[in-house]
Amino acid sequence: MDSSPPDLLGEFAADRLLLGRSSTVRRVTDLLRDRIAAGALRSGTRLSEEALGGALGVSRNTLREAFRVLAHERLVVHEMNRGVFVRSLGPEDVADIYLTRRALETAGVRSATGSGRLAAVNEAVAAGESAARDGDWAAVADADLGFHRAIGALTGSERIDAYLAGLLAELRLAFAVMDDPRALHEPFLRRNRRIADLLTTDRTDRAEAELVRYLDDARELIVARMRQDAG
Amino acid sequence: MDSSPPDLLGEFAADRLLLGRSSTVRRVTDLLRDRIAAGALRSGTRLSEEALGGALGVSRNTLREAFRVLAHERLVVHEMNRGVFVRSLGPEDVADIYLTRRALETAGVRSATGSGRLAAVNEAVAAGESAARDGDWAAVADADLGFHRAIGALTGSERIDAYLAGLLAELRLAFAVMDDPRALHEPFLRRNRRIADLLTTDRTDRAEAELVRYLDDARELIVARMRQDAG
DNA sequence: TCTTGTGGAATTGTTCAACAACCTTCTAGC
DNA sequence: GCTAGAAGGTTGTTGAACAATTCCACAAGA
């Protein structure tokens, strides 16, 4: 042991977290989260303990532990004695999510200078533009969310990053309402680029103003579509 | 039914949510959360499934569901095949929490004007001052956290309020390190009052500056004490 | 002395079966 | 058409069981 370079030991210690075999609950939670984000499980769908447990080959108890996590992430709602359902967002939810995004993302923009994390922001913009050229609108959506997550990560806070990631996952529930992902994400590609450029050139105040306008416009787009569907 | 005033029906409908009999998991989760916040369960304490389940009179499966929730709230850590432990915060955690508080609370300050929610802020300040006069430093701590939660609630976002509440609960884990609650909270009573006054008179920019200084100072106080304990 | 096996005790991870409580639906009766 | 009540299915919770894993102590070897 003493002959090993200390660096090597450090690497192993870091690997240990990745190495750890994941529990069944963890795998089930991840799987359900992915299916919900991908829209395979629509809003309002009832997740029967018996049916889903049978399909996944896990016990009811294990499934219930996974449900508790997903409910805390607001991806499903747990109604007492009635079961759990894939969450469905209303206009108030979307408005609330955008209020929260505004708080977190503007915080990121304001601490952009000297954060040394702008590379990820520019990479996300490039990924979105590349996906748009390929016509892969699902990838554009991913890149768009990745961009905003990178904006939040400018704060350097692990909690802000994690919470924003969850918030954006929740927002995907609303995306399912938009039948045309291109109409939802394409117009914002250019605005992402502009915000990234403003940040790269240290014009943070203007970047913040652009970001706030972006968020207001995106919210209005979704809320309008929701009211249209409802009426 | 038709003879009842509609207001009354609305009240009952609202009560129904509160009335709803809570599940065992919910009660266990609340109880453990309270005990952790109160410091009755110290950081690092191992929560044995069998022992705790026996003491509370609930089954291991029920307890495990509660653990999933608490782990998601970052109040306990779940180590695979080892068990769950009351979380212990390091200086990095405290720094991260204060970064997040800064993002959320400054957002609240910036949307204070015309929010119509300043009453709760002033009430929290008054509650803190009253508790200080009584020498009830635990109540001062509650009021302090209530003040900052009210600041976040100025955004009008339910999610920001809920997340900030969780964040402050997590921070109580660090308060346990401070043996003297008076030293931790008393100096900040005056600063809370000052921030509230600035907000009430619409001097939001100065309020924000004061708040940021407050948060930086509080973080330093806790981090310094932690390093002192560690070294 | 320090490290390396080894065995056993204790704990967690997961499943299964059971039952009470509850919700939903259908039916009978008015 | 409406209400009460019975029937069936689902969730809430428990207790037991077993495999997998960790922890601890102790012995064996360098």
Side-chain angles (χ1 to χ4, degrees), chain A residues 35-179:
Chain A
R35 294 302 161 94
I36 293 173
L41 291 171
R42 298 284 199 74
S43 283
T45 303
R46 171 137 173 277
L47 301 178
S48 157
E49 293 182 1
E50 186 165 308
L52 192 52
L56 296 176
V58 302
S59 73
R60 282 182 59 209
N61 297 95
T62 296
L63 199 50
R64 286 173 62 87
E65 288 188 37
F67 283 165
R68 291 284 173 189
V69 176
L70 293 173
H72 203 269
E73 294 176 358
R74 300 195 200 234
L75 294 181
V76 304
V77 289
H78 189 157
E79 297 184 21
M80 182 75 162
N81 283 317
R82 292 194 6 101
V84 315
F85 305 80
V86 177
R87 183 109 181 285
S88 60
L89 297 184
E92 332 77 40
D93 292 304
V94 173
D96 198 84
I97 289 174
Y98 274 91
L99 265 182
T100 310
R101 285 186 62 178
R102 175 168 165 164
L104 298 180
E105 296 187 32
T106 57
V109 164
R110 265 179 276 127
S111 55
T113 303
S115 74
R117 296 173 208 268
L118 275 176
V121 173
N122 283 304
E123 281 166 23
V125 171
E129 291 168 339
S130 167
R133 275 193 298 275
D134 298 345
D136 185 348
W137 302 109
V140 172
D142 287 347
D144 190 11
L145 299 187
F147 169 77
H148 288 279
R149 189 173 166 186
I151 292 284
L154 291 173
T155 59
S157 162
E158 176 215 322
R159 278 164 185 74
I160 288 180
D161 180 52
Y163 191 63
L164 187 54
L167 212 56
L168 295 175
E170 193 185 347
L171 195 55
R172 282 184 192 263
L173 289 170
F175 289 173
V177 180
M178 311 292 287
D179 28 39

